Amino acid sequence: MRLRKDVVTFAKAMEGTLKQHDDRPGWENETEEYLIDRLEGEFKELQEAAKLWRETDEPHIWDNREGIKHELVDIANFCMMAYCNIERFVKRHGLE
């Protein structure tokens, strides 16, 4: 399967953020509940960043795109973590 250029670009951003936390034990043993709670927290951070942008007098000048991109990558990473943990659970218990 050939991955789309945008998928590869986004995956590289996700991996870059994950590498910054290589000193941590990982997500494989985290519960889905914990990961989804963290996902909800990241979504709130995205909403706050977007709200700041919208409330700026001149949103076309004020540029928080990097902050918004950061939150989007964090959200994607927590989605990936929860998804992969659920996949492992399904395979381990023969629920495929």
Side-chain angles (χ1 to χ4, degrees):
M1 171 182 26
R2 185 159 188 249
L3 298 178
R4 291 174 169 89
K5 182 181 175 189
D6 287 345
V7 171
V8 172
T9 298
F10 195 66
K12 286 179 181 178
M14 291 173 65
E15 179 61 21
T17 297
L18 291 171
K19 280 184 183 276
Q20 293 174 6
H21 303 291
D22 277 349
D23 59 323
R24 298 179 186 175
W27 60 87
E28 292 84 359
N29 295 315
E30 297 292 354
T31 65
E32 289 80 17
E33 181 181 21
Y34 169 79
L35 294 171
I36 291 169
D37 284 347
R38 291 294 311 273
L39 174 60
E40 289 172 345
E42 294 298 333
F43 188 74
K44 287 177 186 172
E45 290 177 20
L46 173 63
Q47 288 176 313
E48 289 169 13
K51 183 180 178 195
L52 266 176
W53 176 74
R54 281 190 220 105
E55 291 176 350
T56 302
D57 289 339
E58 298 185 53
H60 62 286
I61 295 173
W62 186 79
D63 190 357
N64 188 30
R65 286 184 178 94
E66 288 304 313
I68 290 172
K69 283 171 44 180
H70 173 81
E71 297 306 334
L72 291 169
V73 170
D74 284 350
I75 288 168
N77 279 331
F78 280 105
C79 287
M80 178 273 302
M81 293 173 196
Y83 181 93
C84 289
N85 281 4
I86 292 168
E87 278 291 300
R88 279 189 282 279
F89 179 88
V90 166
K91 288 179 182 176
R92 187 171 40 240
H93 293 89
L95 303 172
E96 299 175 80

